[in-house]
Amino acid sequence: MVTLLIIIYISFISLGLPDSLLGSAWPAINADLGVPLSYAGIVTMIISGGTIISSFHSERLIRRFGTGLVTAVSVLMTALALLGFGYSKNFWWFCILAIPLGLGGGSVDAALNNFVALHYKAKHMSWLHCFWGIGAATGPIIISSFLKKSGGWSYGYLIISGIQIVLTIVLFVTLPFWKRAAAANNEIELDGEPHKFTELIRIPGAKSALITFFCYCAVESTTGLWGSSYLFVTKGISAEVAAKMVSLFYLGITGGRFLSGFLTIKFDNKTMIRFGQIGILLGIAIILLPFGNFTLAAGFTMIGLGCAPIYPSIIQETPTRFGKALSQSFIGIQMAFAYIGATFMPPLFGVIADNTSLLLYPFFLLAVLVLMIVNSEILNKVTAK
């Protein structure tokens, strides 16, 4: 189990590597491909669409092929898609390759999260998602080291593809470990017919669980996407300083998940989720204080610290709330709703801001947070019965 846990930690770093690449490299990519800057949104939407679809169908795949094989094939799909990006000289190839990148990302995410929730303690879930943050931070560092030369972004994609290919080989070699882990816990791989969404949604607490996860990812993604614009437009802060302030949000998430791993030893998942929600609320309140740059930086850091325990704690609590037999089903659809929230809520706020004002940014976050808290508490009461 220790060897397998090490492999899973490495896999989570690998999961994070591609997630921040496109945004970091796109200014160079769009110049080389000769397409508008806004075309990044097309590629992102295709990736998100693939991720949502594969998350919804993750249980079906895992029932048929097993967690280990689904993980290995998903990472292989990601590796080949990144390899293709590295050699692409045409925007439409980016669109085509975004399909396997999204499909691979959703399946492996749902598979690994459920496996960890079933086989390991809550501290590992928090630390694994911290390692995802390390991967997401490392991707731009790798790609930026090649951006000084024309077309250098392609070498960055090839390097990261190579890392994914090495991991793929390791995953295929260690496939027997996954079955041994299940056997050691007196479990077998899922078999039989997968559960239908219409069946799952009728289970008490299901709707609240999906809304909670949807709202969490909406808060996280909206905070990250619009934070710099809010600071630049409404506070008169330079673009460079605004970007540094928002980077504290991501630092708060990564560092917070490391600390959360220790806190989960003493506090249960429901308490960790409540801690996180209170942290986000405090962060929004601090941003609204009229005390200058220091409070703004502190506010974004606090929102990041608040976000830190929520995602891993929701995943870890799923087998307890809905039972081990249904955990893969619920983790799959929860993650699909999480991706939907992350994909569509930031553009929705963009439309609202265009027609009103960016001053509504903290109040939009507050409204979504309140909806999250209400549904989270409803979920706690329903599943406690």
Side-chain angles (χ1 to χ4, degrees), residues 48-91:
S48 297
T51 304
I52 292 166
I53 291 169
S54 62
S55 295
F56 266 117
H57 294 282
S58 59
E59 184 199 7
R60 184 183 302 274
L61 292 171
I62 292 165
R63 281 181 178 273
R64 184 168 182 179
F65 301 109
T67 302
L69 186 58
V70 168
T71 300
V73 172
S74 297
V75 175
L76 176 62
M77 290 172 64
T78 303
L80 295 177
L82 294 173
L83 184 67
F85 280 167
Y87 285 109
S88 293
K89 303 299 179 186
N90 184 290
F91 172 74

Side-chain angles (χ1 to χ4, degrees), residues 85-339:
F85 280 167
Y87 285 109
S88 293
K89 303 299 179 186
N90 184 290
F91 172 74
W92 298 112
W93 273 112
F94 265 77
C95 294
I96 293 169
L97 292 164
I99 298 172
L101 183 62
L103 292 173
S107 295
V108 69
D109 214 358
L112 286 178
N113 275 288
N114 183 63
F115 191 87
V116 173
L118 290 176
H119 295 89
Y120 298 99
K121 294 181 179 179
K123 61 183 180 181
H124 290 296
M125 185 68 80
S126 291
W127 289 336
L128 284 164
H129 282 274
C130 173
F131 270 58
W132 173 90
I134 293 171
T138 303
I141 293 172
I142 293 174
I143 209 100
S144 64
S145 64
F146 294 97
L147 291 180
K148 293 179 181 179
K149 56 180 74 175
S150 178
W153 58 267
S154 62
Y155 294 105
Y157 269 99
L158 294 176
I159 291 292
I160 293 173
S161 172
I163 295 171
Q164 299 268 25
I165 289 170
V166 171
L167 176 60
T168 301
I169 294 170
V170 172
L171 288 169
F172 274 107
V173 169
T174 57
L175 281 178
F177 284 82
W178 300 87
K179 293 184 178 180
R180 289 177 199 166
N185 285 270
N186 298 316
E187 297 171 8
I188 57 172
E189 292 285 357
L190 295 172
D191 55 10
E193 288 297 316
H195 300 91
K196 295 180 180 178
F197 177 74
T198 52
E199 170 192 347
L200 296 169
I201 199 67
R202 290 197 296 267
I203 293 173
K207 294 183 182 68
S208 293
L210 298 181
I211 294 171
T212 299
F213 223 161
F214 174 94
C215 290
Y216 165 72
C217 285
V219 168
E220 181 186 307
S221 57
T222 304
T223 301
L225 183 63
W226 290 103
S228 292
S229 299
Y230 169 75
L231 294 172
F232 179 75
V233 174
T234 68
K235 304 296 182 182
I237 296 172
S238 70
E240 182 183 356
V241 173
K244 289 179 179 177
M245 284 189 181
V246 175
S247 72
L248 294 174
F249 164 69
Y250 293 105
L251 183 63
I253 293 177
T254 303
R257 284 178 178 164
F258 178 74
L259 295 173
S260 294
F262 295 101
L263 292 175
T264 56
I265 298 171
K266 185 172 183 179
F267 300 102
D268 62 20
N269 293 311
K270 293 177 183 177
T271 304
M272 293 298 295
I273 292 168
R274 288 176 177 139
F275 282 163
Q277 291 165 343
I278 292 170
I280 296 172
L281 182 61
L282 286 173
I284 294 171
I286 292 170
I287 285 175
L288 289 170
L289 293 175
F291 298 139
N293 290 7
F294 178 78
T295 53
L296 291 168
F300 277 100
T301 304
M302 180 57 70
I303 293 175
L305 289 170
C307 285
I310 296 178
Y311 190 112
S313 296
I314 290 175
I315 293 291
Q316 187 72 25
E317 188 68 9
T318 300
T320 303
R321 282 172 168 161
F322 299 105
K324 292 183 177 181
L326 291 176
S327 65
Q328 185 64 71
S329 305
F330 270 101
I331 285 178
I333 62 172
Q334 279 181 143
M335 298 191 77
F337 270 74
Y339 292 126

